Amino acid sequence: MSEVSPVGKTSSAVRREFLAFFRGKQHQIVPGSPVVPYDDPTLMFTNAGMNQFKDVFLGTGQRDYTRAADSQVCIRAGGKHNDLDDVGADTYHQTLFEMLGNWSFGDYFKKEAIEWAWELLTEVWGLDKRRLHATYFGGDDEDGLEADDEARQLWLDCTDIPRDHVHPFGKKDNFWEMGDTGPCGPCSEIHVDLTPDGSGAALVNADDPRVIEIWNLVFIQFNRDSSGRLTPLPAKHVDTGMGFERITSVLQGHNNNYGTDVFVPIIAALEQRTGHTYGGGVSAPPAGHRYAAMDPDCPKDLACRVIADHIRTLVFAIADGAVPDKDGRGYVLRRILRRAVRFGWQSLELREPFLCQLVPTVVDVMGDAFPHVRENPRIADLIRDEEQSFARTLDRGIALFEQAAERARAGDGRIHGADAFKLHDTFGFPVDLTEIMAAEAGLQVDHDDYVKRMEAARAMARAGGNAEDDPFESLCSPDRMPDETCDDSPKFDPSLTCQATIRSLIHDGDLLEGGHVVVTLDRTCFYAEQGGQVADTGTIDTGHALVEVHDTRRAGGTVLHCGVLKHGRIRIGETATLTVADTRRATMRNHTATHLLNYALRETLGEHVQQKGSLVDADRTRFDLSHPKGIDDQQLRRIENIVNEQVQANHEVFAEEADLADARQINGLRAVFGEKYPDRVRVVSIGAAVGDLLARPDSPDWQQYSIEFCGGTHVPRTGEIDAFALTAEESVAKGVRRVVGVTGEAARNAHTACADLFKRVSALIEKPPADVGKVANQLQDEINRTTYALSMRGQLLEALEQLKVIAKKQQKQAAAASSDEVKGHIDELIAAGEKVGETTIVVGELPDVDVDALKTGADIVKQKCGSAAVLFGVRSGGKALLLAAVSPDLVKRGIKAGDLVKEAAKRVKGGGGGPPTMAQAGGKDPSQMPSALEAGQAWIRERLGS
């Protein structure tokens, strides 16, 4: 590859110079936010630098500065932004990456953004101008938007980019939108041409690794409303993002992120464990640098890239509070971990936990820029536990996959859904891992059959077991079902009890106390799971025998009561008293609330809303609906209010059977799209008698009522629901949202919990304590654990954000005080320093200040003394902290800060390290601080030859 950059910079220098450049342009340098976004429930992981400023762009928040810059760690491994499948297969996609960004909040706009980007890239970093291309928005007829000729002209007038290197592109590539509504605007991307002869103009935006995007400048100047109409914003903003790993790769002189000093130490650590030589199969690696090589046919190299990427994601996500788990972001982490383990197992023959042993390497590489990854000692332990758990089944799982693959090759080329389910359920293989393995073998997975089996397993789990250990599975098999019918109309009787005659008993062997039995009767008040409402539990009592019913199922025309004989002997033909557990009353409240929720969703979001699934039990109602985007706080509040208005109105709930053809004519009736209904259906109407609906089916009056086909059980009047609260809203699939609600006391508790939290946060804002940052974090944790009403979520999170702003100010003030305190001691330490030739040795113990203050002090020493070796010590909270720094001339002589701090740390029973110019360490025995400083000074003298 011909030269693009004249220098090979370290990644640390790239990050530092980016921030220094924008600091010089009067930008506030702000810390990045955690990769686990605790203050934004719409995000699984932080996926862009702008996430922490979303409230500013939406107009709901503000900062005490109008220009900002930072380096933000991002994860894209789930949801809309998901780079997982590309990782390892190419050289420039990662699940975790850094985004270097600068922002303007109503301050500068396009001219400055373009000028400064060009200045940094070409003047500060010296990139070849002939290798850079800029894109701009070329317009869109559908939105009535003209081309962004302003940006194009600025590129031509304000920079010396070649005129034919400025290219127009459409909405897909060059128009940025936060969501379906809200702030948006055109963007201008900067691409670098890495082709050997610089002929890559035609490859801009072609997803070709030879010409890659390195920086995106977004100009936020419009707002899109719910109708899709665009209007200019009163204040215009700039939001830019540069791929740190990509620009580092370019500045280090090659086209491969894995060849940078960000990844090479991790790959080198893998080489030490495996004996594999990465890039060894490439005859002429780029510039003799084998880590920058790309051998697409080497599975071991591919495994190294996947593992090097995935371990970074795991370290940062766990450091910020996430843990591998069975759902949500925890499940995404578990998938990533198991994907890495499988590559290590099969491609690198690593049979013992190895990811956990890479954690120190990741910490060494990233810990200086992101010190918090050093502060969580549980990261390696958590990863080790997950590796050991998966390893117990991995070998057998791979063997099962090979058997399944053989069957697929002999059949239609698809892994059976049953095999994919067993790999998931028994051996812990996420289905996407099975799909990857299948693709590697030239096969596919029968995904539809897998999904059906997963759904069946979930249904069984809700009944109290799973598909593998259902004690009633064999008793309910079709070949054992009696040819009977059962009148289950008493299930609608509010008494929850009835008398019935036992018709059959299904069991294995002699039926003894504690034995499993399936009972059928001539009639029942028990509800068999159907239409989203869970099955009833309860008792069947003959007077001398009692069966405890654990599940109720429908089989043809009869109802199966699945339970355990608690005592006595039960006989066919006996009369029994059936009693449904009282939890059904709560289920009835929740089911009627579900109908009101369906009505409120349609009223608030529009007629496009269709029911996509539901689950109603005694604890909650869960409702899935078709909707293309997240439901905002204002909409959630309106939905909840509509339901509560209907509850307070105490409407009568009517239910009546009708002919399907007649019922379908009722104006306003809601049916589940795609559902097949019988010729006779049960119509449930809240507030209007079914007879009236059938008498005047086309009346527009019926639009104001909840009217549905439903075979479930309901309360007689809506007032019995008492209260309603929405407690969760999330995406479950593309175009499908899920809301969760609670009723009665649980709803009142949810409202009270939110109100109490809001009061506490507001009180802290009025009178912040000295440790407000710690208190804010504790409150965030409490909010994450608390079930609260979403109708107040916006107010609560906005108040918490205000508290965090106060905490940040407090932290800055404390840091400034620490820095001032250190500065007061520097001249004394320099005066007392030892001179060896041209080098000043400055060693001393400082007051209890943070590490940033120590770094500031070390920089001052080097500025004042030129050639200097520095070792500072601090005793804090029962621990020792050491910071070492040396000037560049000493590094050239082989004297490195990392070696110095390690030597001193031995005396305080600790360890550490870092780059050659500055490193830090911690220790458990601060009483030995004087000894550590003496040892460090002696080490420096020896190296200087004094």
Side-chain angles (χ1 to χ4, degrees):
M1 188 188 77
S2 59
E3 188 178 80
V4 176
S5 166
V7 295
K9 293 183 178 294
T10 66
S11 57
S12 296
V14 173
R15 187 188 298 109
R16 184 172 60 251
E17 290 172 3
F18 175 88
L19 296 175
F21 177 84
F22 282 102
R23 184 184 289 110
K25 303 295 185 185
Q26 291 74 54
H27 285 62
Q28 176 77 37
I29 307 304
V30 299
S33 54
V35 296
V36 178
Y38 293 109
D39 56 351
D40 188 345
T42 67
L43 286 174
M44 179 172 286
F45 295 107
T46 297
N47 56 30
M50 59 75 60
N51 289 163
Q52 67 169 306
F53 302 117
K54 197 159 78 170
D55 61 323
V56 179
F57 296 133
L58 290 171
T60 60
Q62 59 184 19
R63 302 293 186 272
D64 55 4
Y65 46 84
T66 59
R67 300 180 180 187
D70 80 351
S71 178
Q72 174 65 57
V73 177
C74 304
I75 293 178
R76 291 185 178 177
K80 177 181 176 183
H81 297 291
N82 184 2
D83 292 339
L84 182 59
D85 293 340
D86 295 319
V87 171
D90 63 29
T91 62
Y92 57 96
H93 280 100
Q94 273 80 49
T95 55
L96 179 138
F97 63 96
E98 281 185 65
M99 186 177 287
L100 303 174
N102 60 286
W103 291 271
S104 164
F105 309 125
D107 190 334
Y108 63 83
F109 201 45
K110 296 179 185 179
K111 181 176 184 293
E112 294 87 347
I114 289 171
E115 285 180 339
W116 292 341
W118 190 252
E119 179 185 347
L120 177 61
L121 292 175
T122 63
E123 296 180 24
V124 177
W125 284 339
L127 293 187
D128 185 346
K129 301 171 184 178
R130 296 166 301 175
R131 292 277 183 168
L132 297 176
H133 293 258
T135 68
Y136 66 95
F137 177 55
D140 185 83
D141 292 337
E142 181 181 345
D143 276 333
L145 288 172
E146 297 180 354
D148 189 6
D149 290 328
E150 179 188 5
R152 175 183 179 275
Q153 203 58 46
L154 286 169
W155 277 110
L156 297 177
D157 293 345
C158 299
T159 76
D160 52 353
I161 190 173
R163 294 185 69 86
D164 59 349
H165 282 206
V166 183
H167 314 278
F169 282 90
K171 186 175 176 181
K172 173 179 175 291
D173 295 303
N174 279 83
F175 196 88
W176 178 89
E177 303 195 54
M178 183 181 292
D180 296 314
T181 61
C184 55
C187 60
S188 185
E189 298 173 338
I190 303 172
H191 299 248
V192 61
D193 181 353
L194 302 172
T195 60
D197 56 358
S199 61
L203 300 178
V204 173
N205 271 337
D207 199 25
D208 190 299
R210 292 170 295 175
V211 178
I212 60 170
E213 174 198 343
I214 53 173
W215 205 344
N216 189 12
L217 316 178
V218 178
F219 309 124
I220 303 175
Q221 62 188 89
F222 299 110
N223 182 70
R224 187 184 294 278
D225 63 23
S226 57
S227 70
R229 187 168 60 95
L230 292 171
T231 54
L233 286 169
K236 297 177 173 61
H237 312 296
V238 171
D239 165 23
T240 88
M242 182 194 299
F244 170 71
E245 291 81 4
R246 291 186 183 185
I247 190 62
T248 298
S249 173
V250 172
L251 291 172
Q252 291 183 356
H254 46 75
N255 178 21
N256 187 334
N257 292 359
Y258 296 98
T260 66
D261 60 344
V262 177
F263 286 98
V264 166
I266 306 172
I267 296 175
L270 270 172
E271 289 179 318
Q272 291 178 355
R273 284 194 53 77
T274 63
H276 169 63
T277 301
Y278 183 90
V282 179
S283 57
H289 180 20
R290 61 182 174 84
Y291 291 106
M294 175 65 175
D295 183 355
D297 298 320
C298 180
K300 291 189 175 184
D301 282 6
L302 170 62
C304 287
R305 289 191 294 273
V306 170
I307 293 166
D309 170 86
H310 288 8
I311 186 58
R312 293 189 345 134
T313 301
L314 292 166
V315 167
F316 271 84
I318 294 171
D320 284 346
V323 293
D325 206 343
K326 62 183 179 181
D327 50 31
R329 65 169 61 97
Y331 181 62
V332 173
L333 288 185
R334 182 165 284 170
R335 285 169 52 205
I336 290 171
L337 185 145
R338 293 185 173 185
R339 189 172 189 258
V341 170
R342 202 276 300 190
F343 271 101
W345 185 285
Q346 284 196 293
S347 298
L348 299 173
E349 299 180 357
L350 292 167
R351 296 294 185 264
E352 297 295 328
F354 64 91
L355 289 173
C356 57
Q357 297 185 358
L358 297 175
V359 171
T361 305
V362 176
V363 171
D364 283 346
V365 173
M366 306 295 288
D368 285 340
F370 304 98
H372 72 288
V373 300
R374 299 187 188 275
E375 298 166 4
N376 189 340
R378 297 182 60 244
I379 297 174
D381 292 338
L382 277 170
I383 292 174
R384 181 183 294 106
D385 291 345
E386 283 287 317
E387 287 188 90
Q388 290 173 336
S389 175
F390 189 38
R392 285 192 285 269
T393 60
L394 181 57
D395 204 19
R396 287 182 293 141
I398 291 173
L400 173 62
F401 174 83
E402 294 299 337
Q403 296 169 10
E406 285 300 317
R407 288 192 290 273
R409 294 186 187 99
D412 62 358
R414 294 192 301 172
I415 302 290
H416 296 164
D419 290 323
F421 175 76
K422 188 171 184 180
L423 281 166
H424 167 85
D425 195 54
T426 305
F427 299 104
F429 280 46
V431 69
D432 55 346
L433 176 57
T434 302
E435 288 172 331
I436 291 169
M437 296 170 67
E440 291 172 351
L443 302 169
Q444 294 179 321
V445 173
D446 187 343
H447 196 79
D448 290 343
D449 187 41
Y450 164 81
V451 169
K452 289 179 182 177
R453 293 173 185 275
M454 280 297 296
E455 288 299 326
R458 291 188 183 111
M460 202 67 69
R462 290 196 296 268
N466 59 55
E468 294 294 320
D469 61 6
D470 174 19
F472 302 106
E473 183 176 20
S474 63
L475 300 181
C476 296
S477 61
D479 59 308
R480 303 182 72 171
M481 290 301 96
D483 183 15
E484 298 171 358
T485 59
C486 175
D487 173 17
D488 65 348
S489 60
K491 67 188 178 188
F492 300 120
D493 188 326
S495 70
L496 305 187
T497 185
C498 73
Q499 299 290 309
T501 302
I502 297 172
R503 282 190 165 178
S504 65
L505 301 170
I506 307 170
H507 54 89
D508 291 326
D510 294 334
L511 182 56
L512 304 175
E513 290 184 5
H516 294 98
V517 61
V518 172
V519 183
T520 68
L521 306 104
D522 63 335
R523 61 200 301 265
T524 184
C525 53
F526 279 73
Y527 183 87
E529 180 169 1
Q530 193 174 8
Q533 180 175 329
V534 297
D536 281 339
T537 60
T539 58
I540 300 173
D541 189 352
T542 66
H544 53 79
L546 180 71
V547 172
E548 191 175 85
V549 179
H550 293 176
D551 190 16
T552 309
R553 307 178 187 183
R554 179 168 292 281
T558 194
V559 175
L560 310 178
H561 304 75
C562 307
V564 173
L565 179 63
K566 300 303 290 182
H567 64 76
R569 291 182 62 85
I570 190 168
R571 298 178 178 86
I572 295 173
E574 289 184 317
T575 298
T577 300
L578 281 60
T579 304
V580 175
D582 201 51
T583 51
R584 161 89 95 73
R585 299 191 189 281
T587 303
M588 291 161 62
R589 289 196 299 270
N590 289 339
H591 199 155
T592 305
T594 304
H595 284 223
L596 295 176
L597 174 60
N598 191 2
Y599 169 78
L601 287 163
R602 187 172 76 255
E603 286 290 297
T604 302
L605 304 178
E607 287 297 319
H608 66 277
V609 169
Q610 295 287 340
Q611 180 176 338
K612 293 296 182 182
S614 66
L615 172 65
V616 181
D617 60 21
D619 297 322
R620 61 184 173 156
T621 172
R622 191 185 76 196
F623 192 88
D624 297 345
L625 63 140
S626 57
H627 190 59
K629 56 190 176 183
I631 306 173
D632 63 37
D633 290 340
Q634 184 177 352
Q635 291 169 327
L636 291 168
R637 194 157 45 246
R638 181 164 185 251
I639 292 164
E640 192 177 280
N641 286 342
I642 290 173
V643 174
N644 279 312
E645 287 168 4
Q646 298 290 309
V647 170
Q648 296 306 313
N650 197 23
H651 292 303
E652 186 173 354
V653 180
F654 298 91
E656 188 176 317
E657 285 196 354
D659 289 336
L660 176 62
D662 294 337
R664 281 197 180 277
Q665 303 305 311
I666 299 172
N667 186 20
L669 180 134
R670 303 297 291 182
V672 178
F673 182 77
E675 183 81 9
K676 291 184 179 180
Y677 292 99
D679 293 337
R680 292 283 292 176
V681 291
R682 187 166 180 263
V683 180
V684 174
S685 169
I686 300 177
V690 176
D692 293 341
L693 302 177
L694 294 170
R696 296 184 293 119
D698 55 352
S699 171
D701 295 342
W702 309 144
Q703 288 283 349
Q704 62 184 305
Y705 298 103
S706 165
I707 309 165
E708 297 187 37
F709 292 155
C710 179
T713 61
H714 293 269
V715 293
R717 303 194 74 94
T718 59
E720 292 190 22
I721 296 170
D722 183 39
F724 177 80
L726 285 170
T727 59
E729 189 275 339
E730 62 184 351
S731 171
V732 292
K734 185 177 181 180
V736 179
R737 309 297 300 182
R738 171 173 292 170
V739 290
V740 177
V742 293
T743 62
E745 184 178 3
R748 283 184 271 105
N749 289 342
H751 282 113
T752 301
C754 198
D756 288 347
L757 284 167
F758 180 73
K759 287 179 182 177
R760 289 164 58 193
V761 175
S762 299
L764 290 167
I765 292 172
E766 289 294 321
K767 192 176 180 181
D771 58 344
V772 65
K774 179 181 178 181
V775 174
N777 290 333
Q778 290 172 343
L779 277 169
Q780 182 70 76
D781 291 340
E782 186 175 347
I783 289 170
N784 293 339
R785 296 192 307 268
T786 303
T787 298
Y788 63 88
L790 297 187
S791 56
M792 294 183 66
R793 176 178 64 180
Q795 293 173 276
L796 176 60
L797 295 183
E798 183 178 344
L800 185 62
E801 185 60 35
Q802 291 180 35
L803 191 63
K804 289 181 178 179
V805 170
I806 293 171
K808 287 179 181 178
K809 289 181 179 178
Q810 193 181 82
Q811 289 168 359
K812 288 178 184 177
Q813 292 168 355
S818 294
S819 181
D820 291 342
E821 189 170 4
V822 168
K823 289 175 183 176
H825 290 78
I826 293 302
D827 289 338
E828 297 176 13
L829 290 173
I830 292 174
E834 179 181 352
K835 198 83 170 178
V836 178
E838 296 298 317
T839 300
T840 304
I841 302 174
V842 178
V843 176
E845 184 173 350
L846 291 170
D848 184 1
V849 295
D850 61 28
V851 70
D852 288 334
L854 295 181
K855 290 179 179 179
T856 299
D859 287 339
I860 292 172
V861 171
K862 289 192 286 184
Q863 289 170 4
K864 290 190 173 185
C865 298
S867 178
V870 182
L871 180 63
F872 291 149
V874 168
R875 308 186 208 197
S876 176
K879 294 183 179 180
L881 173 64
L882 293 162
L883 181 106
V886 299
S887 52
D889 62 305
L890 300 185
V891 174
K892 292 178 182 178
R893 294 169 60 181
I895 302 173
K896 299 178 181 179
D899 296 336
L900 168 58
V901 82
K902 287 178 183 176
E903 180 66 26
K906 293 176 183 177
R907 304 300 177 95
V908 290
K909 297 181 181 178
T917 56
M918 188 173 291
Q920 66 187 67
K924 301 175 183 177
D925 188 359
S927 66
Q928 294 301 311
M929 182 63 74
S931 174
L933 296 175
E934 289 174 10
Q937 187 158 5
W939 186 91
I940 297 169
R941 286 198 203 99
E942 181 181 347
R943 298 305 183 279
L944 291 173
S946 65

